[in-house]
Amino acid sequence: MGDETKFLRPDAILEPLVDGFYAWLHTVAPAQAAMNLAFVQIPLLESYLHSPQVHINACNNPQLRGGFFVNVGSARSGEIRDLLASIKRDRAVMLRFADAIAEAEEIVRQGATGFDLTPLYPKLPAELSGLVEIAYDTNNQAALRFIEPLMYESSAYTEDRQSVQFSLETGSERPFMLSTPRLPSPDVLDLRIPFRHPGLEELVRSRVHGTTLSRLREMLELDDDQATGLSRFLAAAPDLADDRHIDNGGRIRYFGHACLVMQTPQAAIITDPWVSSDASATGRFTYRDLPDYIDLVLITHGHQDHVVLETLLSLRGRVGSVVVPRSSRGSLADPSLALYLSHLGLPVTEVDDFSEVEFPGGKVTATPFLGEHADLDIRAKSTYVVRMAGRTMFVGADSSGIDPGLYRYVRGHLGEVDIAFLGMECAGAPLTWLYQALFTKPVTKKMSDSRTLSGSNAAQAAAIVTELGAHEAYVYAMGEEMWLVGHVMATTYNEDSYQLKQVDEFMTWCAEQGIKSDHLYGQHEWRW
Ligand SMILES: [Fe+2]
Ligand SMILES: [Fe+2]
């Protein structure tokens, strides 16, 4: 029994969770996860338990979409109470760590006045011993620098928090990942395994390379009930599109949001992977359409809509390397993507501006990424120039045209670009939406609102295209495909939205210049 070859269904969803909350960079990386748990997630659950109806009403109010409200009916508030109690009990060490970081930040604020920093070290909380350095910049502004590889070995990081919840795509939007923890239910299978577990790789690889239930059972150490539960997600035959590979020329496919698959007969590249599990839907590419092997995964930056863990973990075992931009090392706002993803079992290549990565028949060059991080000093962000099958593509993600002069240098180094992909989410969320937990000194609303996660507006996008000498320009990464992005971005647009008006203005400008352009939505294909 259980020895027949089986394949993971294309409509299987795996949600990576930490203490029930959806996992992303800032809920997994040690310092950031501790601070998010202590300063955002616990207060959120407490607020819900204080008045569940306020949260439920807010979740039903479209104007409050993307807000921090727990979308769980009051009949299940007992489960939220239990979750909160287990977090407070099981994560006491982590919570103490978060308090220690806040104390250390205050010690630095008070004590680092431009003079010798040596006397501050004995005052630091014991939890941080061996894990931080305090240093001034040349303006005598001091900051803590975490020795981040060691943070993954410290008490701030524990894989006990990690689990994976399997479900089948229903076509309905999932609750917003930043605010609503996942609870157990009869429709899902929860496996309390670390994300790097080899059994998880065996399972996700079986979308293409078959396995057996008995092998999965052994690798994942499943009991009878779990094995029965898992069998619902397996099928007797693989479900893969016949045209997922090409045998001549080049092809680019837009999979939605910032996800592009670029292919030649020899190689495949995917940018900011985010793939729909809705195999029965039309008008979109899904897991059925992915090439069996992907040479390079290009990650542009750490925002939760660009490092989408549920897709990245689904690619384990079938990617050559995940290319990530190097962080500034050790600053709270800028956790290392390389450490994060390598701790999740993914092969990683770290790049700096203008680093080159070769693949069969082509080359990727990392290029600078400006802005879009609420003016925080975040270096783990990169755009890319990809050359394959005789064409040059610029992968711009959310990089803004805040100083278009940059792109003149890019063109000077790398020549003209054939196709530019540009993000134009030009009225992005405020600073505190993503970074609240990391500020141990309050930020005023006015200050937060003035600093946003915004990409290019029409004039900036036009300036980028002009400086790059791009022949074609496509607007993407707008968070419009709700079936894909709803639970991660909670964006709302209507025809009056500033962003969409700016896209129209940009496309009008492109038409006037004789530059081919489009506003990507759903799916798109280029073939040459
Ligand atoms: Fe972003
Ligand atoms: Fe984005």
Side-chain angles (χ1 to χ4, degrees):
M1 279 293 283
D3 290 330
E4 308 90 40
T5 304
K6 295 284 184 186
F7 298 83
L8 181 61
R9 289 170 54 161
D11 57 345
I13 292 172
L14 68 91
E15 288 204 328
L17 307 178
V18 277
D19 288 324
F21 281 93
Y22 195 103
W24 74 285
L25 177 60
H26 283 221
T27 59
V28 176
Q32 295 74 14
M35 296 178 86
N36 268 282
L37 189 64
F39 306 137
V40 169
Q41 291 167 326
I42 284 182
L44 176 68
L45 297 181
E46 287 173 339
S47 161
Y48 170 85
L49 289 170
H50 186 257
S51 39
Q53 203 55 47
V54 169
H55 281 249
I56 295 158
N57 293 347
C59 291
N60 291 326
N61 180 349
Q63 307 240 313
L64 296 175
R65 200 172 146 78
F68 280 66
F69 301 102
V70 178
N71 196 359
V72 172
S74 53
R76 302 191 73 180
S77 62
E79 292 173 66
I80 297 290
R81 191 176 304 282
D82 293 345
L83 175 65
L84 178 61
S86 68
I87 290 174
K88 287 185 171 175
R89 181 189 63 234
D90 299 338
R91 307 297 163 232
V93 171
M94 226 177 130
L95 298 173
R96 171 67 205 130
F97 209 98
D99 288 337
I101 294 172
E103 284 168 34
E105 292 255 290
E106 184 60 22
I107 288 165
V108 170
R109 271 195 294 273
Q110 298 292 328
T113 54
F115 291 86
D116 179 20
L117 293 171
T118 315
L120 298 190
Y121 282 83
K123 297 181 183 169
L124 292 177
E127 287 80 0
L128 300 187
S129 172
L131 297 172
V132 294
E133 184 171 22
I134 315 168
Y136 291 115
D137 66 16
T138 50
N139 286 314
N140 283 346
Q141 301 290 315
L144 288 172
R145 185 178 68 81
F146 293 84
I147 301 168
E148 212 176 339
L150 298 182
M151 292 293 289
Y152 280 86
E153 293 173 27
S154 76
S155 56
Y157 187 74
T158 167
E159 290 182 335
D160 290 355
R161 310 181 66 210
Q162 300 179 2
S163 67
V164 179
Q165 186 172 87
F166 291 90
S167 59
L168 289 174
E169 176 70 66
T170 62
S172 53
E173 188 175 300
R174 292 179 253 164
F176 181 42
M177 49 78 83
L178 289 181
S179 65
T180 301
R182 281 21 179 176
L183 298 173
S185 89
D187 313 333
V188 304
L189 172 69
D190 287 292
L191 294 184
R192 192 155 271 288
I193 50 171
F195 303 145
R196 63 175 173 78
H197 197 291
L200 184 60
E201 181 165 317
E202 176 73 9
L203 176 59
V204 296
R205 269 182 92 244
S206 75
R207 277 207 170 95
V208 176
H209 305 283
T211 184
T212 64
L213 186 57
S214 52
R215 179 159 172 77
L216 290 168
R217 186 180 175 144
E218 185 190 321
M219 289 185 79
L220 290 162
E221 296 175 57
L222 304 180
D223 61 27
D224 288 349
D225 285 350
Q226 289 173 321
T228 306
L230 184 62
S231 63
R232 286 201 307 126
F233 298 93
L234 303 175
D239 187 354
L240 299 167
D242 293 336
D243 63 349
R244 64 192 190 281
H245 301 116
I246 59 171
D247 56 18
N248 63 75
R251 180 172 76 183
I252 302 172
R253 281 177 159 183
Y254 172 68
F255 271 56
H257 195 57
C259 182
L260 300 161
V261 173
M262 303 181 176
Q263 287 175 275
T264 65
Q266 298 82 34
I269 285 182
I270 188 169
T271 69
D272 292 338
W274 199 352
V275 178
S276 171
S277 304
D278 204 344
S280 63
T282 53
R284 66 194 69 161
F285 295 117
T286 70
Y287 280 103
R288 299 180 69 253
D289 301 293
L290 276 186
D292 295 351
Y293 180 78
I294 296 166
D295 296 78
L296 295 178
V297 175
L298 304 184
I299 297 292
T300 58
H301 62 302
H303 288 156
Q304 77 277 18
D305 54 316
H306 296 263
V307 182
V308 182
L309 221 47
E310 68 178 75
T311 299
L312 267 180
L313 291 178
S314 292
L315 298 180
R316 278 186 56 199
R318 54 195 278 204
V319 299
S321 194
V322 184
V323 177
V324 298
R326 192 186 301 279
S327 75
S328 56
R329 303 212 169 275
S331 100
L332 275 181
D334 193 17
S336 162
L337 290 171
L339 286 171
Y340 170 56
L341 295 180
S342 59
H343 278 83
L344 306 186
L346 287 154
V348 171
T349 302
E350 205 172 33
V351 291
D352 291 302
D353 292 340
F354 297 102
S355 295
E356 295 180 348
V357 182
E358 297 195 352
F359 60 89
K363 187 169 77 174
V364 173
T365 307
T367 41
F369 180 134
L370 285 183
E372 207 264 325
H373 288 68
D375 299 319
L376 290 166
D377 182 14
I378 289 174
R379 322 277 177 87
K381 53 182 187 176
S382 182
T383 58
Y384 296 95
V385 170
V386 180
R387 284 183 217 275
M388 73 188 327
R391 291 213 184 175
T392 302
M393 280 68 69
F394 175 70
V395 179
D398 297 336
S399 179
S400 88
I402 200 165
D403 178 4
L406 164 69
Y407 302 92
R408 195 176 317 148
Y409 282 98
V410 171
R411 180 185 182 170
H413 273 276
L414 301 170
E416 284 189 0
V417 161
D418 295 305
I419 304 179
F421 295 97
L422 304 175
M424 291 187 63
E425 213 314 23
C426 48
L431 166 71
T432 49
W433 188 66
L434 272 196
Y435 299 107
Q436 168 87 60
L438 308 179
F439 281 81
T440 55
K441 186 176 160 189
V443 177
T444 64
K445 183 170 186 315
K446 198 171 169 188
M447 186 185 285
S448 172
D449 288 348
S450 82
R451 291 165 55 182
T452 59
L453 284 72
S454 292
S456 296
N457 60 23
Q460 291 169 333
I464 293 173
V465 168
T466 303
E467 296 294 356
L468 287 176
H471 308 150
E472 300 177 31
Y474 298 97
V475 177
Y476 80 140
M478 298 289 287
E480 291 177 275
E481 293 90 357
M482 278 308 135
W483 67 84
L484 186 69
V485 309
H487 66 291
V488 172
M489 301 185 71
T491 31
T492 34
Y493 292 116
N494 61 47
E495 66 224 24
D496 295 326
S497 296
Y498 171 71
Q499 296 95 321
L500 300 190
K501 287 187 180 306
Q502 287 291 299
V503 172
D504 287 345
E505 192 177 316
F506 170 65
M507 294 203 353
T508 303
W509 175 86
C510 286
E512 287 165 4
Q513 310 300 311
I515 294 167
K516 194 174 171 197
S517 71
D518 206 346
H519 173 181
L520 302 180
Y521 178 77
Q523 72 178 159
H524 199 95
E525 181 172 307
W526 298 259
R527 189 75 170 94
W528 66 96

